[in-house]
Amino acid sequence: MVQRFDVSSRFAAGAQFTAGRLGPGASGRTRDVVDPATGESVLRYELAGAADVEAAVHAAGRALPEWAGATPGERSDAMHRWAAVLRERTGEFVYAESLQCGKPLKLSEEFDVPGSFDNVAFFAGAARQLPGVAAAEYSGDHTSYVRREPLGVIGSIAPWNYPLQMAAWKILPAVAAGNTIVLKPSELTPLTSLMFAQAACEAGIPDGVVNIVSGAGADAGEALVGHPSVAMTSFTGSTAVGRRVAELATSTVKRLHLELGGKAPFVVFDDADLEAAVHGAVAGALINSGQDCTAATRAYVQRPLYDDFVRGVADLMRDVRLGEPFAPGTDLGPLVSYAHRDRVAGFVERARSYATVVTGGEAPGGELAKGAYYVPTLVTGAPQDSEIVQQEVFGPVLTVLPFDADDQGIALANDTPYGLAASAWSRDVFRTASAAREIRAGCVWLNDHIPIISEMPHGGYKASGYGKDMSAYSFEEYTQLKHVMQDITAQPRKDWHRTVFGDR
């Protein structure tokens, strides 16, 4: 059961969360959280500015010694309590996530919220597993071992498409490893990030370990990335903004983790299960209204299946039910904003001059016209070097192109600047194994597209960035390795000293 609440009352004190308390921002500017299904404001709040970032970083710095000094077991216990608090509030998180993003209720209930809470449970256990190289006498005269230590205060920036999930991906490995964090969510969608941080404090995680600054990128974001007391920046968002983040982080020699754009290929070989591929393509292209950096965006279909695949996808897309996010039976909700809806529509309108829009390609009329909706869209006949094939549309739009030989399909799949995710479809295990080897992407699904799990890493190749979210591999982003080497001979004169003074 979804638990609704009055957002304005819940965040009456403000949408900044520092040292365990909500408060207003100090930028002097306000922002509305808008329900994209109706265009109505659900919360007006004061945006964070540089002073709010300074206060949050200071709070995180104060909390660091206690949290970093806790044993792995103590951090693990606190995170297990956090997971329990979150589970009690599942309905509120489902409601808030669907309200601020326009997600259909079933997507929030069955994917976003349970997946995020599973991440908490995973990292609660992983907090006890921070391995280093086993102690050994590699030189013969010394015992060497590796310590994994927290970096310090982490400054992270999360996007608007999966606000809760991205907050979890940033916060959890950082705090499990003993760091403290200041997270800047998108100013469009701060609600569930704030609720997530509040739940941490209610579970007994010390005030200041998790802090939220809700502000614009040019103000709060740049102040956070450029802050000299922030040891690492983790950013998820567009490749263009990622370049700016990298410039700022480099100026203060920070650790940097970037998860950027994607343009996932969906490669269908001629022996694939056609029904499975059609259903996988529609689901993979339309998840979260296509606002997913791993969404299927470019389907390359071997020519014997091409026509049937296009017909099947078009028919299935026409059956997808657009509707109000909280209405029973809704499959697809609105895009996050009118501005973003218009951006997506612009890609399709420009493509009409060189490609065919098979179905969709418009905003719906009637009752849905008041929201930021866009009809599922299938495009064929676009050249490989065209904008709609090469650039990230980030909406419910799938392009389909044919190929002949297997190696041509793989080459086309690799022919973009991005390398975040991909899938390959075939009944032949040798074909799928070859695709998994040859496609340059951080995740390759075989005969499926989209599922993720807490135990496995997520991150890209090429212009899709570097570093990993989720899994134990993410600790490599959020810990510093220290080699400790201890003499075991107790001899005051070492043989190597003669290379500096004296004779043997």
Side-chain angles (χ1 to χ4, degrees), residues 445-494:
W445 292 287
L446 303 177
N447 294 311
D448 207 344
H449 195 107
I450 284 297
I452 54 174
I453 50 174
S454 297
E455 291 83 358
M456 287 291 112
H458 177 87
Y461 287 24
K462 303 189 290 185
S464 292
Y466 46 82
K468 298 300 178 185
D469 289 311
M470 298 198 298
S471 82
Y473 292 102
S474 64
F475 286 132
E476 295 173 10
E477 315 297 323
Y478 294 98
T479 55
Q480 178 70 54
L481 295 182
K482 178 186 287 183
H483 170 213
V484 179
M485 194 172 192
Q486 179 177 341
D487 173 69
I488 59 172
T489 67
Q491 297 299 316
R493 297 183 181 181
K494 316 295 186 192

Side-chain angles (χ1 to χ4, degrees), residues 69-316:
T71 67
E74 289 168 340
R75 289 198 293 268
S76 176
D77 289 346
M79 294 183 72
H80 278 299
R81 294 195 301 271
W82 188 6
V85 171
L86 290 167
R87 284 192 292 270
E88 292 173 359
R89 307 235 173 111
T90 296
E92 292 185 355
F93 277 90
V94 167
Y95 171 71
E97 194 76 341
S98 287
L99 181 67
Q100 67 182 350
C101 300
K103 294 175 186 285
L105 194 60
K106 62 182 178 179
L107 182 63
S108 292
E109 280 186 323
E110 299 176 30
F111 185 78
D112 293 42
V113 172
S116 300
F117 292 179
D118 183 70
N119 261 227
V120 183
F122 171 81
F123 278 107
R128 291 178 179 259
Q129 303 291 325
L130 287 171
V133 176
E137 288 69 49
Y138 296 99
S139 76
D141 293 335
H142 309 82
T143 296
S144 286
Y145 60 92
V146 170
R147 289 177 56 86
R148 242 184 222 280
E149 298 180 349
L151 292 170
V153 176
I154 309 300
S156 292
I157 300 176
W160 47 259
N161 57 331
Y162 289 102
L164 177 60
Q165 217 168 55
M166 296 297 100
W169 288 13
K170 300 302 182 194
I171 292 169
L172 295 172
V175 301
N179 302 282
T180 57
I181 190 167
V182 178
L183 175 77
K184 191 201 87 64
S186 168
E187 63 272 27
L188 299 177
T189 54
L191 302 182
T192 47
S193 297
L194 291 163
M195 294 162 62
F196 196 66
Q198 287 178 300
C201 290
E202 291 169 30
I205 292 175
D207 292 349
V209 172
V210 181
N211 307 275
I212 308 293
V213 289
S214 305
D219 300 324
E222 296 213 355
L224 182 59
V225 175
H227 199 290
S229 297
V230 169
M232 172 188 163
T233 290
S234 177
F235 170 79
T236 296
S238 71
T239 298
V241 177
R243 293 190 185 100
R244 175 60 179 162
V245 169
E247 290 173 3
L248 291 168
T250 300
S251 68
T252 52
V253 199
K254 285 179 172 51
R255 180 81 64 89
L256 184 60
H257 168 210
L258 298 173
E259 198 267 271
L260 306 176
K263 192 69 179 172
F266 187 100
V267 182
V268 182
F269 295 105
D270 57 13
D271 66 340
D273 182 323
L274 180 63
E275 182 182 14
V278 166
H279 281 77
V282 174
L286 301 186
I287 186 170
N288 202 33
S289 298
Q291 300 166 126
D292 187 312
C293 50
T294 64
T297 60
R298 300 176 290 137
Y300 296 103
V301 183
Q302 208 152 25
R303 210 169 291 274
L305 293 186
Y306 178 80
D307 290 339
D308 289 338
F309 180 88
V310 169
R311 275 193 295 272
V313 168
D315 289 344
L316 191 53

Side-chain angles (χ1 to χ4, degrees), residues 141-142 487 489 491-504:
D141 293 335
H142 309 82
D487 173 69
T489 67
Q491 297 299 316
R493 297 183 181 181
K494 316 295 186 192
D495 187 55
W496 73 267
H497 290 177
R498 68 178 180 80
T499 63
V500 181
F501 61 86
D503 298 320
R504 187 183 295 275

